[in-house]
Structure formats: structure tokens, C-alpha cells
Amino acid sequence: MTENAQQQPTAPSTELPTQYAPADVEGTLYERWVERGYFAADAKSDKPAYTIVIPPPNVTGSLHLGHAFQHTLMDALTRRKRMQGFEALWLPGMDHAGIATQNKVEQQLAEEGKSRHDLGREEFVERVWQWKEEYGGRILGQMRRLGDGVDWDRERFTMDEGLSKAVQTIFKKLFDDELIYRAERIINWCPRCLTAISDIEVEYQEDDGELVSIKYGEGDETLVVATTRAETMLGDTAVAVHPDDERYKHLVGKRIKLPLTDRTIPVVADTHVDPEFGTGAVKVTPAHDPNDFAIGQRHGLESITVMDERAVITVHGPFEGLDRFEARSTIVAALRSQGRIVAEKRPYVHSVGHCSRCQTTVEPRLSMQWWVKVAPLAQAAGDAVRDGRVAIHPTDMSKRYFDWVDNMHDWCISRQLWWGHRIPVWYGPEGQVVCVGPDEEPPGTEAEGWKQDPDVLDTWFSSGLWPFSTLGWPEQTPDLEKFYPTDVLLTGHDIIFFWVARMMMFGLYAMDGEVPFRTIALTGLVRDQFGKKMSKSSGTAVDPLDWMNQYGSDAVRFTLARGANPGTDVPIGEDWVQASRNFANKIWNATRFALMNGATVEGPLPDPAEMSATDRWILSRLNKTVAEVDAFYDDFQFAKLSDALYHYAWDEVFDWYVELSKTTFQAGGRGAEVSQRVLGEVLDVTLKLLHPVIPFVTDTLWTTLTGGESVVIADWPADSGFRDEAAEKEIEALQSVITEVRRFRADQGLQAGQRVPARLTLDGTALAPHEAAIRQLLRLQPEGDAFAATATLPVAGATVALDLSGTIDVAAERKRLAKDLAAAEKEKSQATAKLGNEAFLAKAPDNVVDKIRGRLAKADEDIARIQTQLDRLPQA
């Protein structure tokens, strides 16, 4: 605990508004936290460090439920560690989001009737910076609204000066170590974004297309090939067959006529071809298909590019200038007119890659690009998890990680954009290639024939440095020394490939084998209440700010945390947020009751010998809850810890302890003083336990209850070891009596406040000291001289006899129950008969049979319940 947290600057207030209004509290309270520096981490501190770096949201983005979900969990982790005495750093920042941001500004220019080329590169980049300052970073303000306890003084941006230096440094290091190279390969090309994109930025979906079978060659020297991309045949440079396919052995090595062109192409034998698929012959277009490119490399085939960067045909007069999709239908029509189409299948549903950012169909394209040689880096990233230096949680997610890093292809890192980190390579007039480090001068000027590579780096290249570049690397800063390696990377399982593996590779490489984080805690994705993906088009997308405005940030946070099982998707609906709002209100009302009844945190706890069983029970349960919550935090079981706190707070503290304490407070004396201190202790600790997940309401209540400065800087509760199993059993018996009698009263149709004469036989049981509480909670009045027991309830070793003669008509009630019993027995008889009919069972659908089984089970339950009620009533 800090010195400030130990102080009691003001006496605890006994007044709270009658209702909790989040809007009146959250904004000003958050700014107070920031102004007082609660979230600022000190690199010079002697406290042990605890570090989380935020997955940097795109500068173009706004807070969505996925952000709110992960931010809630990260905030809970760091708030708890801060309370535990760690120097906790949660570092915020944003990603420049190359393609997404450039698209935003290009759209803005298009509205002005301009393109980026009208401005030129320098002016366009300046325009992007202006857009970033004016519109970017909206999400940062929304993070404040959620309550993110991040160190705003350390906010970073992937294009800021320090991070740009880190990018140039590691590029130079990789280049010098021959782990970066330039080569012509097939890449995924987006004709809309006009850039290469990586494999993991391609989303595959089932599209309707057409499969056409085309006859190549003439006479006896013909082959039939099938394709969904007829337009690429203009770039075919071979037909391939399997070397063992007897049908085509006579053609291997010969040249056949390529339709619609004046070219002939060879027939080659390659084991890649599956002789069982289709005709066993495939067209080979090395410049437009990755598998064909590999075949072309093996056989020395020419690569002919037939489309430009916008996927417009650039060869063969009749089709030149056509868009790829226009060319497809036009070429098929031309082939059909020549009798070359031997089969057509339409629609033909097949998997097609789309750009994850703009949903344009991706075009495989031969292109000169920059690549990272990932084999040694990926090996190190895999080994760090295998040897235990990095733990993946939940452990069953490790397989996905290994499947990726153990089979990773070289990474295309160049993008044909203007916004981003420009590749620090210069080309000289004599063919020189020079990579320039951050403290080096370019080798020459444009006037001297030197030109910098026009491409920029993949956004994931810079975000892959995030855990250490944000702490000052390549400089050996105090932050880097104190806070690296980070402790936990908490992120969605969907970006294991995009981001997690990149950070592992670069962290181990740049930091001399030191891992970037000790634990990878993977979450699921937020879904709607039916478990389906949220989407704007289906009307299921939710703006978390709308829910925060209506129910408060705490309610949204608690709902998200309560659904957060490791690695599992999180369903969420508005009614669950309403329930969490009700929980916050319940905490508020219980604290108001406590304050009005003198609950206090002053002085040590009384000796257990002075406490009632109720006091000892709630303290025993409190310490068990502290231990349970700690274990769940250490295992990243946010749903379980939230559920444990919910049930302890609502069920045990608010519904039972507070209610049982009312008789003690009314009686006054030393017993009331003891319970006032116990209730203060219970609320003090419960509010601290709840704080990391629901920070606003807990800080408001805690400071009011204790007079302390803020629960943000208070000590995290420790399990004192106090246990009282006897008291727990005693109160469990008390709860059984009260629950059973309440159920009976409800079954008899008694109003909740209706008083009933009762005789309690508690002697010889642990319940004897609780008679006053039992009578008060159950609305049981003294038996009186005319008492006549009409119902007797034996429960937990005690007996509760009730006189219902003045409250219900016993004869009418027995008649009503007898009627209900007869109906339930009839239902049971009918269901039993059907289930015993073999002919019926043989014909009836499974769902019908299951429904009848359910009816039988319900009838059995009803019969047992009604018979119990009848047994408890006296004979009329």
C-alpha cells in the first residue's frame, strides 16, 4: 500500500445518494485517477515490475466490443497487480494501419475530385498526418470512458520517431544478417488497395463461379484442362500431367497449340499433378498461380504476366483493356465459338480469397518484393514455447501456434503504399543496393542517380516490435531495463498468426534471445447472445458506448469479464448488461445500508470469541473467496472469478449476512458493535476484490466507506487464513430452515409480508441463538394462547410448526392440491403408456419421443412436489 493509501484523510461519510448514477461519477472519477498519477509507472521504483503492452488499435478505429472485452481483462490484471504492490505498467498506443489509413485519406481526396498522385508522395503523406491529428485516435478517448488504467505519458504510435528508428534498426540488422532479401515471387495482390498483402490478410469465402473445361491442341495431340479462371490462359506456358499417367505419356515433351493465341506450349510431367482429379491435366500459368510458379521453376518455364496492377488484361489484342471478370466471360465465349469448350459447370461454388480490408477478390501475381527469411526466426519462436520460457494459455491453443510457426513461409514485407515505414534501401546508378541504418546517410542523391525503394513495410513489421520498441529500443533505456520482458500478452486467438508469432520472432532476435512476454493469454471473440458473429448487416453489431451510456461502464465490463472463459468465444446480450447494472445497484444499496447502520473499518477486527456465528461464517467465506479469486486470476479464469465474486457478494453478503445482521443492529450492545466492524471489513475487502473488474462504483463506495484516498492504490486483500467450518455449517442449517419455510409459504400462496403464528423447536440444535433472526426473516409471530399447529416442517434438526388457520382455508387448499395431483398422475399415465408402446416408439421421430420423456419427468416432479405439500397440511 502506498503512503497515500494508508492515510485516512477524511472521516467516512454515512451518506450516499439513494441511487447510483454512473454518468455522474465515471468521467470525473477517471480524470481524477489520471491527474493523481495512479497509472503512471516509475522505472526507478524498487517494486517488482509487471508489464502489459496494449495490442495497438488502428488509428482509424473506434472502440468495439472486442476492444472493450480485451481491455477490461487487461485492466483487471494491471489494477490487481498495482494493488498487490507491483510497479504495474500498462502501455497504450496505436498502429498506423497502413492500408486502412491510406484508404481513408484517398476516399477523402476522391470527394475533392483528386487522387494521391495529384498531390505527390510527400504532400500525400503530410495529408495523412493531418488526418491522423484531426480524426485519428478517437479510440483513445473511448478507452478513457471504459476506464482503461493505462500510462498515458508513455503513449506510443508506430510511426513516431522512436518506433520508426526501431523499425529501421531491425531492418538493417536483418538485411546484414541476410534474413531480408528481394525476390520475384507469387504474392497476393489486391487490385483495389494496389498492394501486396500477406497470406494471413486473405480471407477465404465460398463464391459462385464457373468451371469450364477447355480443349488444348489439335487432332490426336489434344488435352482437356479445367479452370475457374479462364482469363489466365493467355499467360499459360505449359500443360502439366503426372509422369506415371499412361494417357498422356505420348504427349510429354511435345508442344501443343494454345487456343486464342499464336503460341505453342510444351506438355511437361510433374508429380504435383493429381492424375485422379479431373482430366489429370492442368494448365500452367507461372505468373498468376503459386503452384504453377513452382512448376515453372522446376521446368524452366517462361512467366508471362497478363494483367496489370488493377487486374486489367494487358496482352492479346481482342482482350486487352478488359477487366479480369469481363475478360473471363469474353474469353469463354470466344472459346465456345471455336468449339473449344467441352464442359461448363455453372454455378460452381469454390473457395476464393478476398482482401481482408476491402473484400476485393485477391489476384495471385508475380511480383518483385521484399521478404523475411523466417525459418531461423520461426524455429526460435517455437522453441521458446516448447522449452517453457513462454506459456500459452489455455494450453490447448499451443497446437495452433505450433501449426503456424512450424510451417511458416517466408514473409512478404513490402507494400506498394505511401503511408508507412519506407523501406530503407537505396539503388545506385550502377546497380548498387545499399541498406541504410537510422544513423547513416543515404549513399547519394537523386541527381547522382540514387533512388530509395518506393515501397513501405507491412504494418505487422512495425507492430511486431511493439513489446520492446515502445520501451525505447534500440536505446538501452531505463524503461527497457525495468519493464522488459513484458509479463502477459492478452489478445484474441484470431491474431496468433498476424501478431503473436511476429512479436515472438522479432523479440527473440532483437533482444538476444530474451522472450517478449512470459505468458500468452488467448481469449475468444465476442458474439451475440445466440453465439453468432456480430455484424452490421444483420443488425447484431453493438456499439459498447451505447451500453455504457445506458447502463454504465462497470456493467459492460462485468458482463464481458463474466463471459471470459480462456480461448472461448463470449456471447453477450443486452439483458446480461442490465443484470450487471442491477448488480452494481445492489452493491450500492448494500453499502448504503451498512453506512446507515454504523459499519466501520476503524481498528482491528474483534476477537472471534466475541463474534456471533454469523460474523464468523461471513469472514470464513470471505477468506475462502479471496483465495479462490487469487487462484482464478493466476489461471486467467476471468469468468470464474467474476462468478465467484458475484455469488459471494450478492448471495452471501447482501442476501444473507446483511439480512441476518438487521436483528443484531436492532438489538444494539456489544454484539452490534462487533457486527458493525465485521460488516465494514467484509465490504472493504469485497469492494477491493471487485475493483479491478468494476472500478468506478467500487472506488466511489470504498472511499465513502473507509475515508481512504482511492481503492486504486489500496492494498489487495490477502487470505488471513481464518476459517470456521463449524460456523459455516451452522449458518448453512439456518439458511436451510429459512429457505424451506419460505418455499412452503410460497406454495401456500402466502404474501411475503404476511405474518403467521409459529412455534419453533430449536433446543439442542445450533439454531437456538438464531430464533429472533428466523422469526424476523420469515415473518413468524409468537404462537399465542390459541395457537394450533396446522403444518409442521422438520428441517435441519429443528421443527417449525405453523398455524395457518387464520391465513388459508385448509380444506380448500387440500382440494386444490388433490385436483393438481390427479392431473399430474393422469399426465404420467399417458406418457408412460406411450413410452411403453413398442409400435409407437418404432414410428415416432426422436424429437417426439424425447418430448414425451420430458413430460414424464415433469409429471414425476409435480407429483413429488404436490404430495409434499399435502403431507404438510393438517387433515381438514
Side-chain angles (χ1 to χ4, degrees), residues 19 39 69 99-100 150 260 293 382 426 527 529 588 678 843:
Q19 289 185 323
F39 307 139
F69 171 53
I99 296 176
V150 296
L260 304 182
F293 179 77
W426 271 256
R527 304 284 186 179
Q529 59 187 317
W588 185 270
V678 170
K843 295 179 180 178

Side-chain angles (χ1 to χ4, degrees), residues 396-405 493-494 496-497:
D396 58 8
M397 285 284 178
S398 298
K399 183 180 184 301
R400 294 185 65 185
Y401 177 80
F402 291 131
D403 284 347
W404 178 251
V405 297
H493 62 64
D494 55 324
I496 290 178
F497 320 127

Side-chain angles (χ1 to χ4, degrees), residues 402-422:
F402 291 131
D403 284 347
W404 178 251
V405 297
D406 292 346
N407 300 284
M408 196 182 296
H409 301 296
D410 283 2
W411 172 19
C412 177
I413 56 171
S414 44
R415 298 291 181 267
Q416 288 64 56
L417 304 171
W418 286 355
W419 172 245
H421 296 100
R422 193 163 176 182

Side-chain angles (χ1 to χ4, degrees), residues 38-156:
Y38 293 159
F39 307 139
D42 182 2
K44 298 178 182 178
S45 167
D46 294 332
K47 297 177 183 178
Y50 182 83
T51 316
I52 294 180
V53 291
I54 203 167
N58 285 356
V59 67
T60 59
S62 60
L63 189 75
H64 57 64
L65 273 176
H67 289 130
F69 171 53
Q70 291 178 3
H71 288 205
T72 294
L73 304 188
M74 285 184 278
D75 196 29
L77 290 173
T78 48
R79 283 179 183 270
R80 172 176 174 256
K81 286 294 183 181
R82 192 175 289 117
M83 295 172 74
Q84 286 182 314
F86 286 78
E87 195 63 40
L89 169 61
W90 186 19
L91 193 148
M94 291 185 299
D95 190 280
H96 66 279
I99 296 176
T101 307
Q102 179 156 322
N103 282 347
K104 285 277 188 184
V105 178
E106 290 201 76
Q107 289 167 12
Q108 199 177 61
L109 287 174
E111 293 171 2
E112 301 170 12
K114 299 178 182 177
S115 75
R116 60 178 162 133
H117 300 286
D118 294 325
L119 272 66
R121 183 167 193 144
E122 287 188 14
E123 189 175 340
F124 176 77
V125 170
E126 179 58 34
R127 181 72 175 260
V128 180
W129 277 108
Q130 291 172 8
W131 181 93
K132 185 257 182 187
E133 293 305 314
E134 186 172 354
Y135 301 105
R138 178 174 50 160
I139 192 172
L140 298 177
Q142 295 167 341
M143 287 163 54
R144 290 174 177 262
R145 182 69 203 281
L146 186 66
D148 283 7
V150 296
D151 187 343
W152 290 110
D153 291 338
R154 285 182 168 85
E155 179 192 334
R156 303 305 300 266

Side-chain angles (χ1 to χ4, degrees), residues 440-741:
E440 300 172 350
E441 292 294 325
T445 65
E446 283 199 24
E448 296 168 334
W450 287 88
K451 290 187 177 179
Q452 186 176 358
D453 194 297
D455 291 349
V456 301
L457 288 162
D458 177 10
T459 295
W460 297 102
F461 189 95
S462 52
S463 59
L465 316 181
W466 190 252
F468 52 94
S469 63
T470 52
L471 296 172
W473 187 91
E475 307 301 327
Q476 293 303 307
T477 64
D479 276 3
L480 196 64
E481 182 178 351
K482 177 73 174 179
F483 297 112
Y484 190 89
T486 67
D487 288 270
V488 177
L489 170 71
L490 190 144
T491 191
H493 62 64
D494 55 324
I495 59 171
I496 290 178
F497 320 127
F498 285 93
W499 192 45
V500 178
R502 311 293 195 214
M503 287 188 290
M504 285 286 283
M505 291 192 303
F506 281 169
L508 290 161
Y509 173 73
M511 301 300 293
D512 299 322
E514 184 71 77
V515 297
F517 24 75
R518 297 183 177 93
T519 300
I520 301 169
L522 297 170
T523 70
L525 309 178
V526 179
R527 304 284 186 179
D528 69 15
Q529 59 187 317
F530 305 108
K532 296 181 180 178
K533 183 177 180 180
M534 289 187 174
S535 69
K536 291 181 181 178
S537 59
S538 64
T540 57
V542 173
D543 184 344
L545 293 169
D546 291 341
W547 280 352
M548 284 189 264
N549 290 335
Q550 191 166 359
Y551 305 111
S553 298
D554 284 333
V556 174
R557 289 171 62 114
F558 192 72
T559 304
L560 291 165
R562 204 172 176 194
N565 290 298
T568 304
D569 288 351
V570 182
I572 184 172
E574 186 168 3
D575 53 339
W576 303 340
V577 185
Q578 291 173 351
S580 296
R581 184 268 318 272
N582 295 343
F583 180 51
N585 290 341
K586 187 79 169 180
I587 302 168
W588 185 270
N589 292 332
T591 307
R592 284 188 74 242
F593 166 85
L595 291 167
M596 289 188 293
N597 284 276
T600 180
V601 297
E602 296 292 335
L605 278 172
D607 189 283
E610 287 193 276
M611 296 179 188
S612 67
T614 308
D615 293 331
R616 298 194 306 275
W617 160 72
I618 199 64
L619 289 176
S620 182
R621 288 293 306 125
L622 175 64
N623 279 286
K624 286 183 177 179
T625 301
V626 170
E628 193 175 28
V629 167
D630 276 334
F632 286 144
Y633 261 117
D634 292 341
D635 199 33
F636 303 99
Q637 297 280 358
F638 296 98
K640 290 182 179 179
L641 73 89
S642 299
D643 223 39
L645 285 169
Y646 175 88
H647 288 295
Y648 173 73
W650 191 308
D651 299 346
E652 297 184 278
V653 178
F654 308 150
D655 277 359
W656 283 106
Y657 183 70
V658 165
E659 291 301 314
L660 291 170
S661 297
K662 287 179 179 178
T663 54
T664 306
F665 293 145
Q666 288 170 1
R670 179 57 182 164
E673 292 176 358
V674 170
S675 291
Q676 286 168 340
R677 179 66 188 89
V678 170
L679 180 54
E681 181 74 10
V682 167
L683 284 175
D684 176 19
V685 173
T686 302
L687 291 170
K688 288 175 180 176
L689 291 173
L690 285 165
H691 172 72
V693 179
I694 48 174
F696 293 106
V697 69
T698 51
D699 195 39
T700 303
L701 293 175
W702 186 86
T703 53
T704 304
L705 173 71
T706 68
E709 181 182 334
S710 174
V711 72
V712 177
I713 53 172
D715 282 344
W716 181 253
D719 175 8
S720 71
F722 177 79
R723 302 288 190 275
D724 193 326
E725 300 299 334
E728 291 194 38
K729 288 181 180 179
E730 183 175 328
I731 301 305
E732 284 173 12
L734 175 61
Q735 290 171 327
S736 297
V737 171
I738 293 172
T739 301
E740 190 64 22
V741 176

Side-chain angles (χ1 to χ4, degrees), residues 214-225 233 236-239 251 254-267 283 316 335 338 340:
I214 309 169
K215 182 173 68 176
Y216 283 28
E218 303 289 351
D220 293 335
E221 297 183 352
T222 62
L223 290 140
V224 175
V225 300
M233 68 164 291
D236 286 357
T237 54
V239 173
L251 292 177
K254 293 186 176 180
R255 299 184 72 86
I256 61 173
K257 180 78 165 54
L258 177 65
L260 304 182
T261 73
D262 56 3
R263 292 192 292 117
T264 61
I265 56 176
V267 178
K283 61 191 285 300
H316 204 70
L335 290 167
Q338 293 184 9
R340 293 281 179 178

Side-chain angles (χ1 to χ4, degrees), residues 232 294 297 379 410 501 514 604 694 745 747 792 838:
T232 63
Q297 293 286 293
Q379 174 72 43
D410 283 2
E514 184 71 77
I694 48 174
R745 287 177 58 110
D747 288 342
T792 303
E838 295 296 335

